Amino acid sequence: MSQSFRVDLRGIVDLLSHHLYTSPQVYVRELLQNAVDAITAAHGADAGERGVGRIALESADSAGDGSLTVTDNGVGLSETQVHELLATIGRSSKRDELGFARHEFLGQFGIGLLSCFMVSDAIEVTTRREGEPTVLWHGRSDGSYTVRTAGPGEERAETGTTVTLRPRRGSEHLLTRASVTELVTRFGGRLPHAVTVDGEEVTGGPAPWDRPADEPPARRRARLEAYCQEVFGFTPFDVVDLETAEAGLRGVAFVLPMPANPSVPAAHRVYLKQMLLSERAERLLPEWAFFVRCVVDTAELRPTASREALYEDALLESTRDALGDVLRAWLVRLSRQDPARLREFLRVHHLGVKALALHDDDMLRLVADFWPMETNVGPHTLTEFRERYGLVRWTPLVDEFRQLAPVAAAQGLAVVNSGYVYDAQILERLAALEPALETEVLRAGDLTTHLERLEAAEEKALAPALAASEQVLAKLGCDLLVRSFQPAGLPALYLLDDDTAFQMDLRETKSQVDDVWASILGSLEDAAEPRPRLVLNHRNPLARQVLTLVDPELRATCLEGLYVQALLLGHHPLRPADTAVLNQSFLGLIGRAVSASATSPGEDR
């Protein structure tokens, strides 16, 4: 048998009035929205003209009895409409029939009015529609209400509505003149209607998105910069006008003058038909546009049920893309009209532009032309590097670049450091977009192919010493090579690519876990067991002398010292075994030096 849900009206009222909204302060916004909708219904196309609509608030300070009243000269309601709009929750059909569901209206009378129960246990509405008697509605937070026509002395002289709130315990401060003025200014300060608090008008002045025809550009820029400083707390690097017809959106984007954290969602100020919707609206712009803060007014984007955020739908998605296109066009225009200023912008916000370049060809070329990347021959844009050196040789890791940069430069190899965020993806995408661009990844293991091998006779003469030296380094998990390379002042070079580093970490972890995990990790091991390489520079006198030492113990100590020095020069972390070798070789060499000094002939004792 079919049955209807049982609804606890008191619970519904409590849910909507206490849990739908984030703060009781929004009650002022909801009252203003209801008044604006009533004015729109009464005056139609003329409702937006200054002076047509009037909204008057009388605070608890003025009323003298602690109550707040809000009066408008809108359309007013008949007794039937009062039942349908003020006492029916979740029913939209009657609202549509009564004419309050058109897109030019801000909210819903019933749902919005419930927010007032956050500050008041009772709401009184006095309303009159043209040609209808005055109706009085009294609603209580327990879910009950009464409706009656006005008696003698209770009638309204003109059409419109008056809402009266009497404060609940603990909410008295929210109905005072200071609080009401602050909230009306925040939520309704951009409304085209005359809004007064205790007889004093609190609205007026141009909205930030307005562009008066007679306002000089310099004055408008100064006004917008002052507004940005007041609202967001910074003077913008630049101001970008925003407009999308589909969403009925107008506004401005303020470019941050300092770096922004891309992991923190940008918060924008959004107005809905000139009523403040949110001061911290997110996802209005694409994720890459974290370097701007926006103030916009929209007529078509949908608010959430609480009217404190934007509803995620297809229109918001297309609006987000359209606003992204506006910002992208600003960057392109800046690159053509003021390249120096674009470079200044990139120094601060390169991450956002590089993120956009991963899927936008124009931004990719802009980054290639204007963003200086780190190379071992000084900062160069990719375009400059390509024109000067032809082949774009690059390393995908910062640590590898630090290892290879000085040695590669000495061999005449120009290398780009692509280890920073997005740089490697940008290079790969640029190569895919431009087939004529030649690129080559330079890894630590590849550098040895660019180093000069020894003559056959030299290798033969060093063979016994090399065999013994390899045994010393094998204990440290390292292979030994001897090559001739520049700079000659560098005795040794430690080469470790990320694949080898991964295998080393895997083997070390495997030795520290139980058999089950060791078996799992063993399946990831490379059967060839790649190891890092210590490359001794045959052009360096010290390296040559170490290889030719007759004393095997001294040669081992010196090799260990060169090994640790190469680790430190390459910015590699020292393992416990490496730290032990550092101490052992250092103390061993000191001991040798002291011993030799103590036994030298002719020394005074």
Side-chain angles (χ1 to χ4, degrees):
M1 184 177 74
S2 176
Q3 297 185 23
S4 298
F5 285 105
R6 297 179 180 177
V7 178
D8 180 356
L9 190 55
R10 184 193 296 268
I12 291 294
V13 169
D14 179 74
L15 175 67
L16 294 177
S17 63
H18 290 87
H19 304 290
L20 181 66
Y21 303 101
T22 58
S23 167
Q25 295 178 341
V26 299
Y27 86 92
V28 170
R29 184 194 64 197
E30 298 298 328
L31 290 174
L32 290 175
Q33 285 180 343
N34 286 347
V36 170
D37 281 350
I39 292 168
T40 302
H43 302 283
D46 298 330
E49 294 183 10
R50 191 73 182 175
V52 172
R54 298 190 306 277
I55 305 172
L57 293 91
E58 186 178 1
S59 72
D61 295 346
S62 177
D65 60 357
S67 65
L68 169 73
T69 61
V70 182
T71 303
D72 66 70
N73 64 337
V75 67
L77 301 173
S78 66
E79 184 174 353
T80 300
Q81 292 170 336
V82 166
H83 283 284
E84 294 295 343
L85 293 179
L86 301 188
T88 304
I89 300 173
R91 183 178 178 186
S92 60
S93 60
K94 284 296 180 180
R95 175 182 170 80
D96 298 345
E97 294 170 11
L98 296 170
F100 288 98
R102 302 199 307 274
H103 79 280
E104 62 265 28
F105 294 103
L106 288 171
Q108 293 190 7
F109 278 33
I111 294 290
L113 200 60
L114 287 174
S115 68
C116 297
F117 284 124
M118 290 189 290
V119 298
S120 175
D121 285 321
I123 303 173
E124 302 174 10
V125 177
T126 304
T127 182
R128 186 172 81 83
R129 191 177 182 91
E130 184 69 32
E132 299 281 348
T134 299
V135 179
L136 281 69
W137 179 89
H138 289 194
R140 290 169 287 279
S141 60
D142 62 4
S144 63
Y145 72 94
T146 60
V147 179
R148 63 180 178 86
T149 55
E154 297 178 316
E155 299 90 347
R156 284 180 58 97
E158 61 176 3
T159 60
T161 301
T162 297
V163 178
T164 302
L165 307 181
R166 303 190 184 280
R168 68 190 314 168
R169 186 181 298 274
S171 298
E172 294 86 355
H173 66 286
L174 293 173
L175 276 61
T176 62
R177 179 181 298 130
S179 292
V180 172
T181 301
E182 190 273 326
L183 294 173
V184 169
T185 303
R186 185 201 308 176
F187 292 113
R190 304 301 176 185
L191 290 173
H193 311 298
V195 183
T196 60
V197 176
D198 294 342
E200 183 177 346
E201 188 166 350
V202 295
T203 57
W209 53 82
D210 284 340
R211 280 173 272 183
D214 58 345
E215 185 177 34
R219 182 180 299 174
R220 179 173 185 266
R221 174 63 181 256
R223 172 171 63 84
L224 289 173
E225 288 181 350
Y227 175 83
C228 181
Q229 181 65 51
E230 175 188 352
V231 173
F232 294 111
F234 64 85
T235 300
F237 174 86
D238 206 348
V239 179
V240 184
D241 287 313
L242 302 175
E243 188 166 357
T244 63
E246 183 182 19
L249 183 146
R250 296 176 302 137
V252 287
F254 299 107
V255 181
L256 288 161
M258 63 285 188
N261 186 345
S263 65
V264 178
H268 309 289
R269 176 170 286 213
V270 176
Y271 290 80
L272 178 63
K273 303 178 184 72
Q274 297 176 271
M275 175 77 74
L276 180 64
L277 181 75
S278 174
E279 294 175 307
R280 301 192 60 81
E282 299 177 359
R283 295 184 54 75
L284 177 66
L285 299 179
E287 290 184 0
W288 54 263
F290 52 79
F291 51 83
V292 298
R293 297 293 179 266
C294 297
V295 179
V296 300
D297 177 61
T298 177
E300 302 295 338
L301 293 177
R302 294 170 56 195
T304 58
S306 65
R307 292 193 292 285
E308 296 179 350
L310 293 171
Y311 184 77
E312 188 70 39
D313 57 9
L315 179 57
L316 178 57
E317 184 176 355
S318 64
T319 300
R320 188 183 299 126
D321 292 340
L323 295 178
D325 289 341
V326 173
L327 294 175
R328 185 180 63 83
W330 168 75
L331 285 168
V332 173
R333 186 168 61 252
L334 202 62
S335 69
R336 294 170 180 168
Q337 298 177 358
D338 197 345
R341 188 159 174 77
L342 175 64
R343 291 188 181 94
E344 182 183 352
F345 167 81
L346 288 176
R347 280 195 293 271
V348 180
H349 297 299
H350 56 277
L351 279 180
V353 180
K354 288 196 290 186
L356 176 57
L358 297 183
H359 55 84
D360 185 280
D361 293 347
D362 288 339
M363 290 298 101
L364 181 65
R365 294 188 176 93
L366 185 147
V367 169
D369 290 343
F370 291 98
W371 173 241
M373 299 182 71
E374 182 181 5
T375 80
N376 64 340
V377 287
H380 286 81
T381 67
L382 286 176
T383 300
E384 293 170 343
F385 191 92
R386 178 183 182 183
E387 291 173 351
R388 180 170 298 184
Y389 299 102
L391 174 65
V392 178
R393 187 179 283 109
W394 55 282
T395 61
L397 298 173
V398 174
D399 287 340
E400 279 192 318
F401 177 81
R402 289 171 177 168
Q403 294 178 63
L404 306 181
V407 179
Q411 316 314 308
L413 302 177
V415 182
V416 176
N417 180 7
S418 297
Y420 297 112
V421 179
Y422 303 127
D423 285 358
Q425 298 96 311
I426 285 173
L427 259 170
E428 291 171 346
R429 191 170 183 276
L430 191 63
L433 185 66
E434 300 183 16
L437 174 63
E438 295 183 72
T439 64
E440 177 183 286
V441 179
L442 181 66
R443 309 305 297 266
D446 301 331
L447 184 60
T448 56
T449 62
H450 297 277
L451 304 180
E452 183 182 344
R453 297 181 65 94
L454 302 185
E455 297 290 341
E458 291 175 323
E459 287 189 353
K460 185 177 180 180
L462 290 174
L466 287 177
S469 300
E470 287 174 352
Q471 293 179 7
V472 174
L473 292 177
K475 298 176 183 177
L476 299 172
C478 185
D479 291 334
L480 176 65
L481 288 177
V482 179
R483 294 288 187 270
S484 291
F485 56 87
Q486 295 290 349
L490 183 66
L493 177 66
Y494 183 84
L495 298 179
L496 174 67
D497 58 39
D498 58 333
D499 293 334
T500 302
F502 172 75
Q503 292 295 324
M504 291 174 63
D505 290 340
L506 196 65
R507 289 194 292 271
E508 184 174 353
T509 304
K510 181 181 173 183
S511 67
Q512 299 173 358
V513 298
D514 58 34
D515 293 341
V516 175
W517 279 108
S519 176
I520 295 173
L521 295 175
S523 64
L524 302 175
E525 279 191 283
D526 190 335
E529 293 190 5
R531 298 197 296 185
R533 297 174 177 179
L534 182 69
V535 185
L536 293 183
N537 187 2
H538 198 255
R539 292 188 179 180
N540 180 267
L542 179 61
R544 288 200 305 271
Q545 290 173 3
V546 169
L547 287 174
T548 57
L549 286 172
V550 177
D551 185 341
E553 184 179 345
L554 179 59
R555 182 172 60 223
T557 302
C558 291
L559 277 171
E560 290 170 348
L562 291 177
Y563 164 81
V564 176
Q565 190 234 15
L567 282 177
L568 296 174
L569 287 177
H571 302 276
H572 298 284
L574 296 183
R575 300 170 298 166
D578 299 329
T579 303
V581 168
L582 170 63
N583 294 330
Q584 177 181 318
S585 60
F586 181 69
L587 295 176
L589 290 173
I590 290 178
R592 286 272 187 165
V594 170
S595 176
S597 175
T599 57
S600 59
E603 181 182 1
D604 292 335
R605 303 253 178 212

